[in-house]
Amino acid sequence: MDRPELRPGHVRVAVRASSVNRADLLIRGGTYTSAGSVDAPSVAGLDACGEVVEVASDVIGINPGDRVMAMVPGGLAEEVVVPAAAVVPVPSVWSFAEGAAAITALMTEHNALVTAARLQPGESVLVHAATSGVATQAIALAKVLGARSVFGTTRSHSHSPVLRRLGLDELIDVSETNFADRILELTAGGGVDVILDHVGGPYLGDNLRAAAVKARIIGVGRLGGATGTLDMEELARKRVEVIGVTFRTRSDEEKFAIVQALRQVDLEARAEALRPLIHRIYPWGRVLEAQEELAANQHVGKIVLEVR
């Protein structure tokens, strides 16, 4: 492919690492549209982390040599050209692989917790599919933002010690226990204030049961399906908000606003608390193997591809 052209307001980044996301599998299957014209080959990757090698003349505050991370379609490339407003500095104690592992999850979950859910210090959070890369970042981020309790669901208790180190208070094995029943036990019948749902439709009814009065249910992912049944009477009684989030329908300006909101966290100061959980790092050339491991759903945390 041709080298991407540096445009006004953009920076050129030599990619050192890129995380593996489910969108990559959709791109391979031809059901996910990446950036570029319809005639251009689809390029996998939702993010990139690396070193700035060139800066447009109108860009201020970013210099060659800066270590940056960004959500960028087609991140699985030697170089990417990214709007300056979309890049986030990599904390000094993080590797390029950690930056790649963190950025998509941080932007997704910060937007879900802060903008959509309006999480307040002292509130409780339930994170579904807690072993996924974005969910592990959500657990740590919720604690940093002041959540009183963070609960998670999965299909195995074996990962509980790992997730507890991130700040999880209890991991609920949904293969053994109904999560709504357990949440009501843990909260003395009160329910949780915020639910980050990465599973989708099948959990909708029990999400409402597990929700506190005036809770916010944030639909982040639909791994288990897109449709479910909702008790509208219970929705009204509890005054619960059900909010969907996605990046696909956001304008560039909306995405830049998410980056600006994330920068308010002070990632440098919170670097240790928010250090991403990496399941495995593959060398760049083993991309198909990395994607197949993601598809197998046995990982905990992020899978990353790294230039070596």
Side-chain angles (χ1 to χ4, degrees):
M1 298 183 67
D2 293 336
R3 191 184 192 206
E5 178 185 355
L6 183 67
R7 304 186 297 280
H10 287 62
V11 299
R12 185 188 304 279
V13 178
V15 180
R16 304 296 185 226
S18 179
S19 77
V20 183
N21 297 279
R22 296 199 176 274
D24 302 341
L25 307 180
L26 300 179
I27 291 171
R28 282 176 57 188
T31 58
Y32 188 100
T33 304
S34 67
S37 71
V38 293
D39 296 325
S42 291
V43 180
L46 287 185
D47 51 55
C49 183
E51 185 177 350
V52 175
V53 293
E54 189 178 4
V55 178
S57 59
D58 60 340
V59 171
I60 299 174
I62 302 176
N63 301 293
D66 287 352
R67 300 166 71 247
V68 298
M69 51 188 178
M71 276 190 70
V72 52
L76 191 62
E78 294 170 286
E79 290 184 349
V80 291
V81 170
V82 187
V87 302
V88 177
V90 180
S92 58
V93 296
W94 285 8
S95 65
F96 287 122
E98 288 171 324
I103 185 59
T104 295
L106 280 174
M107 287 184 61
T108 299
E109 303 299 352
H110 186 275
N111 178 252
L113 284 168
V114 176
T115 304
R118 309 181 303 281
L119 177 68
Q120 298 299 309
E123 290 191 315
S124 54
V125 178
L126 171 61
V127 181
H128 286 311
T131 59
S132 70
V134 291
T136 55
Q137 200 75 63
I139 293 165
L141 183 59
K143 282 293 189 178
V144 164
L145 294 172
R148 179 183 73 255
S149 302
V150 181
F151 309 110
T153 65
T154 184
R155 293 191 176 279
S156 172
H157 267 303
S158 63
H159 306 305
S160 183
V162 175
L163 298 180
R164 284 185 181 277
R165 288 198 293 272
L166 297 177
L168 193 73
D169 291 281
E170 179 160 327
L171 184 64
I172 302 168
D173 185 344
V174 296
S175 68
E176 298 178 352
T177 306
N178 178 278
F179 73 81
D181 290 343
R182 182 56 180 155
I183 287 295
L184 293 174
E185 290 177 2
L186 291 168
T187 59
V192 290
D193 301 298
V194 173
I195 299 175
L196 297 186
D197 187 2
H198 303 97
V199 175
Y203 281 7
L204 186 57
D206 280 333
N207 278 343
L208 188 55
R209 282 209 305 126
V213 173
K214 299 175 69 175
R216 288 80 71 198
I217 301 172
I218 313 301
V220 181
R222 291 150 294 280
L223 295 174
T227 60
T229 301
L230 186 66
D231 183 338
M232 298 296 289
E233 281 293 341
E234 188 70 352
L235 182 75
R237 185 184 74 81
K238 288 187 172 180
R239 291 174 286 156
V240 168
E241 298 175 57
V242 181
I243 304 169
V245 295
T246 183
F247 281 93
R248 295 196 196 187
T249 55
R250 296 182 195 268
S251 66
D252 286 344
E253 289 70 25
E254 289 174 312
K255 294 175 184 176
F256 298 158
I258 293 173
V259 172
Q260 293 304 314
L262 176 60
R263 286 176 175 170
Q264 303 306 309
V265 174
D266 191 354
L267 296 180
E268 183 65 32
R270 303 283 193 171
E272 288 301 334
L274 292 175
R275 190 184 292 273
L277 179 62
I278 296 179
H279 177 76
R280 196 186 313 277
I281 299 175
Y282 283 90
W284 200 253
R286 292 168 60 187
V287 57
L288 293 179
E289 187 178 343
Q291 291 175 0
E292 291 302 327
E293 178 163 23
L294 177 74
N297 291 322
Q298 299 299 312
H299 61 289
V300 181
K302 291 290 286 188
I303 298 171
V304 178
L305 291 156
E306 183 180 60
V307 176
R308 296 177 181 174

